[in-house]
Amino acid sequence: MKFATKAIHAGQEPDPTTGAVMTPIYQTSTYAQKTPGDHKGYEYSRGTNPTRNALEQCLAALEDAKYGLAFSSGLGATDAVMKLLMPGDEVITGDDLYGGSYRMFTKIFANFGIKFHFIDMSDAANILPYITDKTKLVWIETPTNPTMKIVDIEAIANITKPKNILLCVDNTFASPYLQNPIDLGADIAMHSATKYLGGHSDVVMGALMMNDDELYKKLWFIYNATGATPGPMDSFLVLRGIKTLHLRMKAHCENGRKVAEYLKKHPKIDKLYWPGFEDHPNHAIAKKQMRDFGGMISFTVKGATLESTYALASKFKVFTLAESLGGVESLLNHPVSMTHGSIPKADRDRVGVVDSLLRLSVGVEDIDDLLEDLEQALA
Ligand code: P1T
């Protein structure tokens, strides 16, 4: 099946009892058993729920994977992957990451004896000096949040696979419509489904997709044993959101390109980060592994200070100043004070997450209104 058909149908059949075309919201915590153990495969909704299971099959199909697991947030999904590790294990990850992932790694799992190396992965070979017998996981974001670095997934997989190091790709910014990490050699595709998958800023959810049977068993055990699983209503919302993922992503990419090109010509813009530009340092890799370049753009204004950036951020009328991304509505984010506040300033500054950086999640409104809003805010 092609992507658009999978987005609408995968994991979903008309309800066998009523013929309902939409998967019912099975709002139940538990399931009747005739005698102990005599049930229809459903025991208790922390582990299994028909609405969530339909969503999980759809998620798996979107990433060309055998299995999907839904979590109650993107960080819940990340947490489950980290629980595969043991004290003494080492992780190689990027130096530009969602602040919440960085916070979990440094403030939770580092306390349990797991060591993290935060490095620039723009060149895959940069990971080589950090690999030891203790390296158990490489965790990458691409494009990165918020400076849109591109990591060559296939090149990293060619290094990790022969060494049996797990490779997990946070595919949130691209969405499965633009990039499929498992097809490129990754073991796990991770998503904050709160973003493009859900698509309407009305639900918080995470997802892991994978092919390997043993890996799935281990992650399902963690999922059920530690319990960060989403309820049926949230599962329904994401299942419904996914039905238009391909349509929304096309519009995000189209508007994203126009906003990026507008900002590139704007005399006040200093740094501008978007992987679709030919002069982006890893544009060729983006072109190779992504189908288009998405609607996430970050920029700084020439000579801006923290104060002038705050003032600019409050001038937008169509873009809403808010954390998150990937919804139909355009959002504006100030990483330093919002999504990346937990990263020490020196580390942020080193990778370009400076006080004057602003991040746009370009939505699917009329492009004229978005450009007009940028024009008036930057005037
Ligand atoms: O918010 P949650 O669903 O728990 O997902 C966490 C997460 C993981 N990975 C990436 C790349 C993310 O961007 C996020 C969440 N990010 C934001 C809320 C944000 O505005 O960047």
Side-chain angles (χ1 to χ4, degrees), residues 171-190:
N171 202 26
T172 299
F173 267 37
S175 89
Y177 179 76
L178 294 182
Q179 176 173 278
N180 298 118
I182 293 174
D183 289 343
L184 297 164
D187 299 294
I188 307 172
M190 176 265 160

Side-chain angles (χ1 to χ4, degrees), residues 72-76 78 97-101 139 141 143 145 170 172-173 190-195 204-206 322-325 333 339-340 359:
S72 53
S73 68
L75 287 183
T78 304
L97 276 184
Y98 168 54
S101 306
W139 178 279
E141 265 181 30
N145 180 359
D170 182 336
T172 299
F173 267 37
M190 176 265 160
H191 286 272
S192 168
T194 315
K195 313 292 162 33
V204 172
M205 195 182 288
E323 302 203 12
S324 204
L325 59 112
N333 170 56
T339 49
H340 293 69
R359 188 191 73 188

